[in-house]
Every structure is written in structure tokens, then in C-alpha cells.
Amino acid sequence: MSQLLTSFSTRSLCAASKPQPPALQHRIQRTIKPTSIRHFTSSSAVYARINSKRKLAQVHATIPPYPHGAARLYKQSNFGLYGGTRIRFGNQVTKGRWVKKSRRTWKPNVVRAGLYSEGLDEKLKLKVATKVMRAIDKFGGVDEYVLGNKSGRIKKLGMKGWELRWRLLNQPHVRDK
């Protein structure tokens, strides 16, 4: 019995140590890939990626709460001046003899812009909808756009605009105006 066991184990060892044909080796190497996910890390939690909820909570911890709350559908708009724009959905209709409809989306036209704030005396790098860029030009600058008092304007500011408004209102020379 023991002789049978040793012969079986030596046979399996010999089979494992046999050189594989090159095509088979390539296939084995290709299928066994190291995982890129690290299950253990020695770096601190500071370097961990922060999700949007935590990021908003950190930024807005020291300022009064935004009366309209964070955007739940188009979360990207919490981090820029979007003016209430978000992704819209609808049908693309053909112009031919037989009308066919297929679903599609319209995304807002958003650009990264460097806008100068006179009240903060710094250049702000923001994501801004082109619709809001036109409104900023119309009102005469970022400060005037953000400091508007109408309820519709405050609703369209979003979380980032609310933060900018708070920073501007805390400047002594802006508060005196």
C-alpha cells in the first residue's frame, strides 16, 4: 500500500515538473494574471479615494447648509457651476418616410474655466456650464453672479456656488458693499 502511495506521489511530481510545450506555457501564463486589487495596505487612510458624499461633507462642514440640498441625480453638478442643467433624456426621431424613434441623452455643455474673483482676489478653476458663462458675462463677473439674492439664482448655484457665496460673504470688503 505504501509502495503504491509513493509511486503515485512520485508520478504526480514528475508530471508537474515536466517541461510544458511552449504553446501550453503561454496559455497558462496568459490565464493566470496577478490581481491589481490590494487587499491589504500599509498606507494611511488619508490617501484613500474619497467618494463624493464624504468630499461634500468635508467641504460643507464649516458653512451653513445649502437650502436646496445636494443634487441626487446629476452628482457631478455638486462640484461646479452648472446653473441647474443636467442630463436630459428623450427620443431621436428619424426624418424619413417611416418615423423611427431611438432613445438618446443630451449632456450639458460643461467646460473647465479659470474665472477671476475680485472679492477673493484669486483665479478660480471651476467646471462651468456654458449657459452659466453667458450669465456671468451678463452680470459682470463671478462675484455678482454668485451674490445674487433671488431664490431662483440661489437654487441654480448648487453646492459649489453656495460654498463660493459663503467665502465671498466672509470677506470684509465684500460685506461692506
Side-chain angles (χ1 to χ4, degrees):
M1 178 90 168
S2 64
Q3 189 180 27
L4 180 67
L5 192 63
T6 54
S7 67
F8 176 73
S9 61
T10 53
R11 244 187 286 144
S12 62
L13 285 175
C14 292
S17 62
K18 273 189 198 175
Q20 300 290 335
L24 186 60
Q25 280 182 342
H26 176 68
R27 198 176 318 144
I28 292 170
Q29 288 172 356
R30 214 176 54 205
T31 56
I32 302 172
K33 292 181 181 176
T35 58
S36 61
I37 300 171
R38 293 178 58 188
H39 297 287
F40 172 77
T41 181
S42 59
S43 58
S44 66
V46 174
Y47 299 110
R49 186 171 178 198
I50 300 172
N51 67 7
S52 60
K53 263 188 186 175
R54 272 194 272 161
K55 193 174 183 181
L56 276 176
Q58 286 175 354
V59 171
H60 290 271
T62 58
I63 64 174
Y66 179 54
H68 302 284
R72 290 180 297 221
L73 296 177
Y74 192 51
K75 293 179 183 171
Q76 173 179 329
S77 65
N78 291 324
F79 301 100
L81 297 175
Y82 283 67
T85 59
R86 58 183 185 200
I87 297 177
R88 300 181 73 185
F89 304 94
N91 292 323
Q92 178 154 357
V93 182
T94 60
K95 304 277 188 206
R97 182 174 169 190
W98 293 282
V99 176
K100 295 179 184 175
K101 294 180 182 178
S102 55
R103 297 297 288 174
R104 67 156 291 184
T105 60
W106 287 269
K107 294 181 181 174
N109 189 3
V110 178
V111 294
R112 275 190 190 272
L115 303 169
Y116 182 74
S117 170
E118 295 170 358
L120 297 173
D121 194 32
E122 66 180 71
K123 187 176 182 179
L124 305 169
K125 285 196 143 196
L126 300 168
K127 285 185 177 180
V128 185
T130 52
K131 173 182 167 182
V132 175
M133 293 272 282
R134 289 182 62 210
I136 288 171
D137 287 342
K138 180 180 167 185
F139 288 106
V142 181
D143 300 343
E144 287 75 17
Y145 176 78
V146 171
L147 292 174
N149 283 329
K150 292 185 178 178
S151 61
R153 169 67 50 75
I154 291 173
K155 186 173 184 176
K156 287 186 176 185
L157 281 178
M159 298 291 276
K160 186 66 175 180
W162 184 253
E163 178 205 343
L164 286 175
R165 181 183 170 91
W166 180 252
R167 283 176 54 194
L168 277 168
L169 289 172
N170 282 331
Q171 300 296 323
H173 58 278
V174 174
R175 213 177 311 137
D176 294 339
K177 288 183 181 179

Short mmCIF file of all heavy atoms in Angstrom, two decimals, residues 7-71:
data_model
loop_
_atom_site.label_atom_id
_atom_site.label_comp_id
_atom_site.label_asym_id
_atom_site.label_seq_id
_atom_site.Cartn_x
_atom_site.Cartn_y
_atom_site.Cartn_z
N SER A 7 4.63 5.61 -5.27
CA SER A 7 4.73 5.65 -6.72
C SER A 7 3.74 6.65 -7.31
O SER A 7 4.04 7.35 -8.26
CB SER A 7 4.50 4.26 -7.32
OG SER A 7 3.16 3.86 -7.10
N PHE A 8 2.56 6.77 -6.70
CA PHE A 8 1.57 7.74 -7.17
C PHE A 8 2.07 9.17 -6.95
O PHE A 8 2.01 10.00 -7.84
CB PHE A 8 0.24 7.53 -6.44
CG PHE A 8 -0.79 8.56 -6.81
CD1 PHE A 8 -1.40 8.51 -8.05
CD2 PHE A 8 -1.12 9.58 -5.94
CE1 PHE A 8 -2.34 9.45 -8.40
CE2 PHE A 8 -2.05 10.53 -6.29
CZ PHE A 8 -2.66 10.46 -7.52
N SER A 9 2.65 9.42 -5.78
CA SER A 9 3.12 10.77 -5.49
C SER A 9 4.31 11.15 -6.35
O SER A 9 4.43 12.27 -6.80
CB SER A 9 3.44 10.93 -4.00
OG SER A 9 4.46 10.03 -3.64
N THR A 10 5.23 10.18 -6.60
CA THR A 10 6.38 10.48 -7.44
C THR A 10 5.94 10.70 -8.88
O THR A 10 6.48 11.55 -9.57
CB THR A 10 7.44 9.38 -7.38
OG1 THR A 10 6.83 8.13 -7.67
CG2 THR A 10 8.13 9.35 -6.04
N ARG A 11 4.93 9.94 -9.32
CA ARG A 11 4.43 10.13 -10.67
C ARG A 11 3.82 11.52 -10.83
O ARG A 11 4.03 12.20 -11.81
CB ARG A 11 3.39 9.05 -11.00
CG ARG A 11 3.85 8.16 -12.12
CD ARG A 11 2.80 7.21 -12.58
NE ARG A 11 2.66 6.15 -11.56
CZ ARG A 11 1.51 5.60 -11.24
NH1 ARG A 11 0.42 5.93 -11.85
NH2 ARG A 11 1.47 4.67 -10.31
N SER A 12 3.03 11.96 -9.85
CA SER A 12 2.40 13.27 -9.96
C SER A 12 3.45 14.38 -9.89
O SER A 12 3.32 15.39 -10.55
CB SER A 12 1.35 13.46 -8.86
OG SER A 12 1.97 13.39 -7.60
N LEU A 13 4.50 14.17 -9.11
CA LEU A 13 5.56 15.17 -9.04
C LEU A 13 6.30 15.25 -10.37
O LEU A 13 6.65 16.32 -10.84
CB LEU A 13 6.54 14.85 -7.92
CG LEU A 13 6.05 15.13 -6.49
CD1 LEU A 13 7.07 14.65 -5.49
CD2 LEU A 13 5.80 16.62 -6.33
N CYS A 14 6.55 14.08 -10.95
CA CYS A 14 7.25 14.06 -12.23
C CYS A 14 6.41 14.74 -13.31
O CYS A 14 6.94 15.44 -14.16
CB CYS A 14 7.56 12.63 -12.65
SG CYS A 14 8.77 11.83 -11.59
N ALA A 15 5.11 14.54 -13.27
CA ALA A 15 4.23 15.14 -14.28
C ALA A 15 4.22 16.67 -14.12
O ALA A 15 4.17 17.40 -15.10
CB ALA A 15 2.82 14.59 -14.14
N ALA A 16 4.29 17.13 -12.88
CA ALA A 16 4.27 18.58 -12.65
C ALA A 16 5.58 19.22 -13.04
O ALA A 16 5.62 20.36 -13.46
CB ALA A 16 3.97 18.86 -11.18
N SER A 17 6.69 18.46 -12.88
CA SER A 17 7.99 19.04 -13.18
C SER A 17 8.37 18.91 -14.65
O SER A 17 9.39 19.42 -15.07
CB SER A 17 9.07 18.40 -12.30
OG SER A 17 9.13 17.02 -12.58
N LYS A 18 7.56 18.19 -15.43
CA LYS A 18 7.85 18.05 -16.85
C LYS A 18 7.74 19.40 -17.52
O LYS A 18 6.85 20.18 -17.24
CB LYS A 18 6.83 17.12 -17.50
CG LYS A 18 7.16 15.68 -17.47
CD LYS A 18 6.17 14.95 -18.33
CE LYS A 18 6.17 13.49 -18.01
NZ LYS A 18 5.14 12.79 -18.75
N PRO A 19 8.64 19.68 -18.43
CA PRO A 19 8.50 20.94 -19.17
C PRO A 19 7.28 20.89 -20.10
O PRO A 19 7.07 19.90 -20.78
CB PRO A 19 9.81 21.05 -19.96
CG PRO A 19 10.37 19.67 -19.99
CD PRO A 19 9.83 18.94 -18.80
N GLN A 20 6.50 21.93 -20.05
CA GLN A 20 5.29 22.00 -20.86
C GLN A 20 5.65 22.48 -22.26
O GLN A 20 6.63 23.21 -22.45
CB GLN A 20 4.29 22.98 -20.23
CG GLN A 20 3.86 22.60 -18.84
CD GLN A 20 2.98 21.36 -18.82
OE1 GLN A 20 2.32 21.06 -19.80
NE2 GLN A 20 3.01 20.63 -17.71
N PRO A 21 4.88 22.11 -23.27
CA PRO A 21 5.12 22.66 -24.61
C PRO A 21 4.95 24.18 -24.59
O PRO A 21 4.17 24.71 -23.80
CB PRO A 21 4.04 22.00 -25.47
CG PRO A 21 3.29 21.08 -24.61
CD PRO A 21 3.81 21.16 -23.24
N PRO A 22 5.67 24.91 -25.44
CA PRO A 22 5.63 26.38 -25.41
C PRO A 22 4.23 26.96 -25.57
O PRO A 22 3.88 27.95 -24.94
CB PRO A 22 6.53 26.80 -26.57
CG PRO A 22 7.28 25.60 -26.98
CD PRO A 22 6.60 24.41 -26.44
N ALA A 23 3.41 26.37 -26.40
CA ALA A 23 2.05 26.90 -26.61
C ALA A 23 1.24 26.80 -25.33
O ALA A 23 0.50 27.70 -24.96
CB ALA A 23 1.36 26.17 -27.74
N LEU A 24 1.39 25.68 -24.62
CA LEU A 24 0.65 25.48 -23.38
C LEU A 24 1.16 26.41 -22.29
O LEU A 24 0.38 26.96 -21.51
CB LEU A 24 0.75 24.02 -22.94
CG LEU A 24 -0.09 23.62 -21.74
CD1 LEU A 24 -1.57 23.87 -22.06
CD2 LEU A 24 0.13 22.16 -21.40
N GLN A 25 2.49 26.62 -22.20
CA GLN A 25 3.04 27.55 -21.21
C GLN A 25 2.48 28.95 -21.42
O GLN A 25 2.11 29.63 -20.48
CB GLN A 25 4.56 27.58 -21.31
CG GLN A 25 5.24 26.44 -20.63
CD GLN A 25 6.75 26.57 -20.74
OE1 GLN A 25 7.26 27.30 -21.58
NE2 GLN A 25 7.45 25.84 -19.89
N HIS A 26 2.42 29.38 -22.67
CA HIS A 26 1.91 30.71 -22.99
C HIS A 26 0.45 30.84 -22.55
O HIS A 26 0.05 31.85 -21.98
CB HIS A 26 2.04 30.98 -24.48
CG HIS A 26 1.45 32.28 -24.91
ND1 HIS A 26 1.99 33.48 -24.53
CD2 HIS A 26 0.35 32.57 -25.63
CE1 HIS A 26 1.25 34.45 -25.03
NE2 HIS A 26 0.25 33.93 -25.71
N ARG A 27 -0.33 29.78 -22.79
CA ARG A 27 -1.73 29.80 -22.42
C ARG A 27 -1.89 29.86 -20.90
O ARG A 27 -2.72 30.58 -20.38
CB ARG A 27 -2.44 28.57 -22.98
CG ARG A 27 -3.93 28.75 -23.01
CD ARG A 27 -4.67 27.60 -23.65
NE ARG A 27 -4.04 27.09 -24.86
CZ ARG A 27 -4.03 25.82 -25.21
NH1 ARG A 27 -4.61 24.92 -24.45
NH2 ARG A 27 -3.46 25.43 -26.31
N ILE A 28 -1.06 29.13 -20.18
CA ILE A 28 -1.11 29.14 -18.72
C ILE A 28 -0.74 30.51 -18.18
O ILE A 28 -1.39 31.06 -17.30
CB ILE A 28 -0.19 28.05 -18.12
CG1 ILE A 28 -0.76 26.66 -18.45
CG2 ILE A 28 -0.05 28.21 -16.62
CD1 ILE A 28 0.19 25.53 -18.12
N GLN A 29 0.32 31.11 -18.72
CA GLN A 29 0.75 32.43 -18.26
C GLN A 29 -0.30 33.48 -18.57
O GLN A 29 -0.49 34.41 -17.82
CB GLN A 29 2.07 32.80 -18.92
CG GLN A 29 3.24 32.02 -18.38
CD GLN A 29 4.50 32.29 -19.19
OE1 GLN A 29 4.47 33.01 -20.18
NE2 GLN A 29 5.60 31.70 -18.75
N ARG A 30 -0.97 33.33 -19.70
CA ARG A 30 -1.96 34.32 -20.09
C ARG A 30 -3.19 34.27 -19.20
O ARG A 30 -3.80 35.27 -18.90
CB ARG A 30 -2.35 34.11 -21.54
CG ARG A 30 -2.65 35.39 -22.26
CD ARG A 30 -2.95 35.19 -23.69
NE ARG A 30 -4.01 34.22 -23.88
CZ ARG A 30 -4.19 33.49 -24.95
NH1 ARG A 30 -3.36 33.59 -25.94
NH2 ARG A 30 -5.17 32.63 -25.04
N THR A 31 -3.58 33.07 -18.76
CA THR A 31 -4.79 32.95 -17.97
C THR A 31 -4.56 33.29 -16.50
O THR A 31 -5.45 33.75 -15.83
CB THR A 31 -5.38 31.54 -18.06
OG1 THR A 31 -4.38 30.60 -17.68
CG2 THR A 31 -5.88 31.26 -19.45
N ILE A 32 -3.36 33.08 -16.00
CA ILE A 32 -3.07 33.39 -14.60
C ILE A 32 -2.47 34.79 -14.54
O ILE A 32 -1.29 34.97 -14.85
CB ILE A 32 -2.10 32.35 -13.99
CG1 ILE A 32 -2.70 30.96 -14.09
CG2 ILE A 32 -1.79 32.71 -12.55
CD1 ILE A 32 -1.76 29.85 -13.69
N LYS A 33 -3.30 35.74 -14.19
CA LYS A 33 -2.84 37.13 -14.11
C LYS A 33 -2.85 37.56 -12.66
O LYS A 33 -3.75 37.21 -11.90
CB LYS A 33 -3.77 38.05 -14.90
CG LYS A 33 -3.72 37.83 -16.38
CD LYS A 33 -4.63 38.78 -17.08
CE LYS A 33 -4.61 38.55 -18.58
NZ LYS A 33 -5.55 39.39 -19.28
N PRO A 34 -1.87 38.34 -12.24
CA PRO A 34 -1.91 38.83 -10.87
C PRO A 34 -3.03 39.86 -10.73
O PRO A 34 -3.31 40.63 -11.64
CB PRO A 34 -0.54 39.49 -10.69
CG PRO A 34 -0.08 39.80 -12.06
CD PRO A 34 -0.70 38.77 -12.96
N THR A 35 -3.69 39.84 -9.61
CA THR A 35 -4.79 40.79 -9.39
C THR A 35 -4.22 42.15 -9.06
O THR A 35 -3.19 42.26 -8.39
CB THR A 35 -5.70 40.32 -8.25
OG1 THR A 35 -4.90 40.19 -7.08
CG2 THR A 35 -6.37 39.03 -8.57
N SER A 36 -4.89 43.18 -9.53
CA SER A 36 -4.42 44.54 -9.27
C SER A 36 -5.04 45.13 -8.02
O SER A 36 -4.69 46.22 -7.62
CB SER A 36 -4.73 45.43 -10.48
OG SER A 36 -6.11 45.45 -10.67
N ILE A 37 -5.98 44.42 -7.40
CA ILE A 37 -6.62 44.92 -6.20
C ILE A 37 -5.78 44.53 -4.99
O ILE A 37 -5.44 43.37 -4.81
CB ILE A 37 -8.04 44.33 -6.05
CG1 ILE A 37 -8.88 44.72 -7.25
CG2 ILE A 37 -8.69 44.78 -4.75
CD1 ILE A 37 -10.20 44.01 -7.32
N ARG A 38 -5.46 45.52 -4.19
CA ARG A 38 -4.69 45.25 -2.98
C ARG A 38 -5.66 45.05 -1.83
O ARG A 38 -6.44 45.93 -1.51
CB ARG A 38 -3.76 46.43 -2.69
CG ARG A 38 -2.67 46.57 -3.71
CD ARG A 38 -1.81 47.75 -3.43
NE ARG A 38 -1.22 47.65 -2.10
CZ ARG A 38 -0.54 48.63 -1.54
NH1 ARG A 38 -0.39 49.76 -2.16
NH2 ARG A 38 -0.03 48.49 -0.35
N HIS A 39 -5.57 43.90 -1.20
CA HIS A 39 -6.47 43.61 -0.08
C HIS A 39 -5.92 44.15 1.23
O HIS A 39 -6.64 44.33 2.19
CB HIS A 39 -6.72 42.12 0.01
CG HIS A 39 -7.42 41.59 -1.20
ND1 HIS A 39 -8.74 41.85 -1.45
CD2 HIS A 39 -6.98 40.86 -2.25
CE1 HIS A 39 -9.10 41.29 -2.58
NE2 HIS A 39 -8.04 40.69 -3.10
N PHE A 40 -4.63 44.38 1.29
CA PHE A 40 -4.01 44.92 2.49
C PHE A 40 -3.13 46.08 2.07
O PHE A 40 -2.44 46.01 1.06
CB PHE A 40 -3.16 43.84 3.18
CG PHE A 40 -2.35 44.39 4.32
CD1 PHE A 40 -2.96 44.66 5.52
CD2 PHE A 40 -1.02 44.66 4.16
CE1 PHE A 40 -2.23 45.18 6.57
CE2 PHE A 40 -0.27 45.18 5.20
CZ PHE A 40 -0.89 45.44 6.41
N THR A 41 -3.15 47.14 2.82
CA THR A 41 -2.30 48.28 2.50
C THR A 41 -1.67 48.82 3.78
O THR A 41 -2.28 48.76 4.85
CB THR A 41 -3.08 49.38 1.78
OG1 THR A 41 -2.19 50.45 1.49
CG2 THR A 41 -4.24 49.89 2.61
N SER A 42 -0.48 49.31 3.66
CA SER A 42 0.19 49.89 4.81
C SER A 42 0.11 51.41 4.80
O SER A 42 0.54 52.06 5.73
CB SER A 42 1.66 49.44 4.84
OG SER A 42 2.29 49.86 3.66
N SER A 43 -0.43 51.99 3.71
CA SER A 43 -0.56 53.45 3.65
C SER A 43 -1.76 53.90 4.49
O SER A 43 -2.70 53.15 4.72
CB SER A 43 -0.71 53.92 2.21
OG SER A 43 -1.81 53.30 1.62
N SER A 44 -1.71 55.13 4.92
CA SER A 44 -2.76 55.62 5.80
C SER A 44 -4.06 55.87 5.04
O SER A 44 -4.08 55.93 3.81
CB SER A 44 -2.32 56.92 6.47
OG SER A 44 -2.19 57.93 5.51
N ALA A 45 -5.13 56.06 5.77
CA ALA A 45 -6.44 56.26 5.17
C ALA A 45 -6.55 57.62 4.50
O ALA A 45 -7.50 57.87 3.76
CB ALA A 45 -7.52 56.12 6.24
N VAL A 46 -5.60 58.50 4.75
CA VAL A 46 -5.63 59.83 4.14
C VAL A 46 -5.53 59.72 2.62
O VAL A 46 -6.13 60.50 1.90
CB VAL A 46 -4.46 60.69 4.68
CG1 VAL A 46 -4.38 62.02 3.98
CG2 VAL A 46 -4.60 60.87 6.18
N TYR A 47 -4.79 58.74 2.15
CA TYR A 47 -4.58 58.58 0.72
C TYR A 47 -5.68 57.80 0.03
O TYR A 47 -5.65 57.61 -1.17
CB TYR A 47 -3.23 57.92 0.45
CG TYR A 47 -2.08 58.74 0.97
CD1 TYR A 47 -1.34 58.33 2.06
CD2 TYR A 47 -1.78 59.95 0.39
CE1 TYR A 47 -0.30 59.08 2.55
CE2 TYR A 47 -0.74 60.73 0.87
CZ TYR A 47 -0.01 60.29 1.94
OH TYR A 47 1.01 61.06 2.43
N ALA A 48 -6.64 57.31 0.78
CA ALA A 48 -7.74 56.56 0.19
C ALA A 48 -8.61 57.49 -0.64
O ALA A 48 -8.72 58.68 -0.35
CB ALA A 48 -8.57 55.90 1.28
N ARG A 49 -9.21 56.95 -1.68
CA ARG A 49 -10.06 57.76 -2.54
C ARG A 49 -11.33 58.13 -1.80
O ARG A 49 -11.99 57.29 -1.19
CB ARG A 49 -10.40 56.97 -3.79
CG ARG A 49 -11.15 57.78 -4.78
CD ARG A 49 -11.28 57.04 -6.07
NE ARG A 49 -12.05 57.87 -6.97
CZ ARG A 49 -12.64 57.44 -8.03
NH1 ARG A 49 -12.54 56.18 -8.35
NH2 ARG A 49 -13.33 58.25 -8.79
N ILE A 50 -11.67 59.40 -1.83
CA ILE A 50 -12.83 59.89 -1.11
C ILE A 50 -14.01 59.94 -2.07
O ILE A 50 -13.91 60.52 -3.14
CB ILE A 50 -12.55 61.29 -0.53
CG1 ILE A 50 -11.36 61.23 0.42
CG2 ILE A 50 -13.77 61.83 0.17
CD1 ILE A 50 -10.89 62.58 0.90
N ASN A 51 -15.13 59.36 -1.67
CA ASN A 51 -16.30 59.41 -2.54
C ASN A 51 -16.95 60.78 -2.45
O ASN A 51 -16.64 61.59 -1.59
CB ASN A 51 -17.27 58.27 -2.23
CG ASN A 51 -17.91 58.40 -0.87
OD1 ASN A 51 -17.75 59.39 -0.18
ND2 ASN A 51 -18.65 57.39 -0.48
N SER A 52 -17.89 61.05 -3.35
CA SER A 52 -18.45 62.39 -3.47
C SER A 52 -19.23 62.82 -2.23
O SER A 52 -19.21 63.98 -1.86
CB SER A 52 -19.33 62.48 -4.70
OG SER A 52 -20.38 61.57 -4.62
N LYS A 53 -19.89 61.88 -1.56
CA LYS A 53 -20.64 62.25 -0.35
C LYS A 53 -19.72 62.75 0.74
O LYS A 53 -19.97 63.77 1.39
CB LYS A 53 -21.42 61.04 0.17
CG LYS A 53 -22.83 60.98 -0.24
CD LYS A 53 -23.52 59.86 0.49
CE LYS A 53 -24.93 59.70 -0.03
NZ LYS A 53 -25.59 58.55 0.56
N ARG A 54 -18.62 62.01 0.97
CA ARG A 54 -17.67 62.43 2.01
C ARG A 54 -16.97 63.72 1.65
O ARG A 54 -16.71 64.55 2.50
CB ARG A 54 -16.65 61.33 2.26
CG ARG A 54 -17.13 60.33 3.29
CD ARG A 54 -16.02 59.47 3.76
NE ARG A 54 -15.95 58.34 2.83
CZ ARG A 54 -14.90 57.56 2.70
NH1 ARG A 54 -13.82 57.77 3.39
NH2 ARG A 54 -14.91 56.56 1.85
N LYS A 55 -16.66 63.89 0.37
CA LYS A 55 -16.00 65.10 -0.08
C LYS A 55 -16.90 66.32 0.15
O LYS A 55 -16.45 67.35 0.66
CB LYS A 55 -15.66 64.97 -1.57
CG LYS A 55 -14.71 65.99 -2.10
CD LYS A 55 -14.35 65.63 -3.53
CE LYS A 55 -13.36 66.57 -4.11
NZ LYS A 55 -13.04 66.25 -5.49
N LEU A 56 -18.17 66.20 -0.19
CA LEU A 56 -19.12 67.28 0.06
C LEU A 56 -19.26 67.56 1.55
O LEU A 56 -19.32 68.71 1.97
CB LEU A 56 -20.49 66.92 -0.50
CG LEU A 56 -20.72 67.19 -1.97
CD1 LEU A 56 -22.09 66.70 -2.37
CD2 LEU A 56 -20.58 68.65 -2.29
N ALA A 57 -19.30 66.51 2.35
CA ALA A 57 -19.45 66.68 3.80
C ALA A 57 -18.24 67.40 4.39
O ALA A 57 -18.40 68.26 5.26
CB ALA A 57 -19.63 65.33 4.47
N GLN A 58 -17.04 67.09 3.90
CA GLN A 58 -15.84 67.76 4.39
C GLN A 58 -15.84 69.23 4.03
O GLN A 58 -15.53 70.09 4.85
CB GLN A 58 -14.58 67.11 3.82
CG GLN A 58 -14.25 65.78 4.43
CD GLN A 58 -13.06 65.13 3.73
OE1 GLN A 58 -12.56 65.64 2.72
NE2 GLN A 58 -12.63 64.00 4.26
N VAL A 59 -16.19 69.55 2.79
CA VAL A 59 -16.16 70.94 2.33
C VAL A 59 -17.24 71.76 3.02
O VAL A 59 -17.02 72.89 3.43
CB VAL A 59 -16.33 70.99 0.79
CG1 VAL A 59 -16.53 72.41 0.32
CG2 VAL A 59 -15.13 70.37 0.11
N HIS A 60 -18.42 71.17 3.18
CA HIS A 60 -19.56 71.92 3.70
C HIS A 60 -19.75 71.76 5.21
O HIS A 60 -20.80 72.15 5.74
CB HIS A 60 -20.83 71.51 2.95
CG HIS A 60 -20.83 72.00 1.54
ND1 HIS A 60 -21.34 73.22 1.20
CD2 HIS A 60 -20.36 71.45 0.40
CE1 HIS A 60 -21.20 73.41 -0.09
NE2 HIS A 60 -20.60 72.34 -0.61
N ALA A 61 -18.75 71.24 5.91
CA ALA A 61 -18.87 71.08 7.36
C ALA A 61 -18.83 72.42 8.08
O ALA A 61 -19.45 72.58 9.14
CB ALA A 61 -17.76 70.17 7.87
N THR A 62 -18.12 73.39 7.53
CA THR A 62 -17.94 74.67 8.22
C THR A 62 -18.87 75.77 7.74
O THR A 62 -18.83 76.86 8.29
CB THR A 62 -16.48 75.15 8.04
OG1 THR A 62 -16.21 75.26 6.64
CG2 THR A 62 -15.51 74.17 8.67
N ILE A 63 -19.67 75.50 6.73
CA ILE A 63 -20.56 76.54 6.21
C ILE A 63 -22.01 76.16 6.49
O ILE A 63 -22.30 75.00 6.75
CB ILE A 63 -20.33 76.77 4.70
CG1 ILE A 63 -20.68 75.53 3.88
CG2 ILE A 63 -18.89 77.17 4.43
CD1 ILE A 63 -20.60 75.76 2.39
N PRO A 64 -22.92 77.14 6.45
CA PRO A 64 -24.33 76.80 6.69
C PRO A 64 -24.86 75.86 5.61
O PRO A 64 -24.37 75.87 4.47
CB PRO A 64 -25.05 78.15 6.63
CG PRO A 64 -24.07 79.15 6.18
CD PRO A 64 -22.72 78.56 6.23
N PRO A 65 -25.84 75.04 5.94
CA PRO A 65 -26.34 74.06 4.96
C PRO A 65 -27.01 74.75 3.77
O PRO A 65 -27.68 75.75 3.91
CB PRO A 65 -27.34 73.23 5.75
CG PRO A 65 -27.70 74.05 6.93
CD PRO A 65 -26.53 74.94 7.22
N TYR A 66 -26.79 74.16 2.60
CA TYR A 66 -27.40 74.66 1.37
C TYR A 66 -28.89 74.36 1.43
O TYR A 66 -29.29 73.22 1.67
CB TYR A 66 -26.74 73.97 0.17
CG TYR A 66 -27.29 74.36 -1.17
CD1 TYR A 66 -27.37 75.69 -1.57
CD2 TYR A 66 -27.72 73.39 -2.06
CE1 TYR A 66 -27.86 76.04 -2.81
CE2 TYR A 66 -28.20 73.73 -3.31
CZ TYR A 66 -28.27 75.05 -3.68
OH TYR A 66 -28.76 75.39 -4.90
N PRO A 67 -29.76 75.38 1.27
CA PRO A 67 -31.19 75.17 1.47
C PRO A 67 -31.84 74.14 0.55
O PRO A 67 -32.83 73.52 0.90
CB PRO A 67 -31.80 76.56 1.24
CG PRO A 67 -30.74 77.41 0.69
CD PRO A 67 -29.44 76.75 0.93
N HIS A 68 -31.27 73.93 -0.62
CA HIS A 68 -31.88 73.01 -1.59
C HIS A 68 -31.23 71.63 -1.58
O HIS A 68 -31.67 70.75 -2.32
CB HIS A 68 -31.83 73.62 -2.99
CG HIS A 68 -32.53 74.93 -3.06
ND1 HIS A 68 -33.90 75.04 -3.08
CD2 HIS A 68 -32.05 76.20 -3.06
CE1 HIS A 68 -34.24 76.32 -3.11
NE2 HIS A 68 -33.14 77.04 -3.10
N GLY A 69 -30.19 71.43 -0.80
CA GLY A 69 -29.54 70.12 -0.69
C GLY A 69 -28.69 69.77 -1.90
O GLY A 69 -28.70 70.45 -2.92
N ALA A 70 -27.97 68.69 -1.77
CA ALA A 70 -27.09 68.23 -2.85
C ALA A 70 -27.92 67.61 -3.97
O ALA A 70 -28.99 67.06 -3.74
CB ALA A 70 -26.11 67.20 -2.31
N ALA A 71 -27.39 67.70 -5.19
CA ALA A 71 -28.05 67.08 -6.34
C ALA A 71 -27.93 65.57 -6.22
O ALA A 71 -26.85 65.04 -5.99
CB ALA A 71 -27.41 67.56 -7.63
#
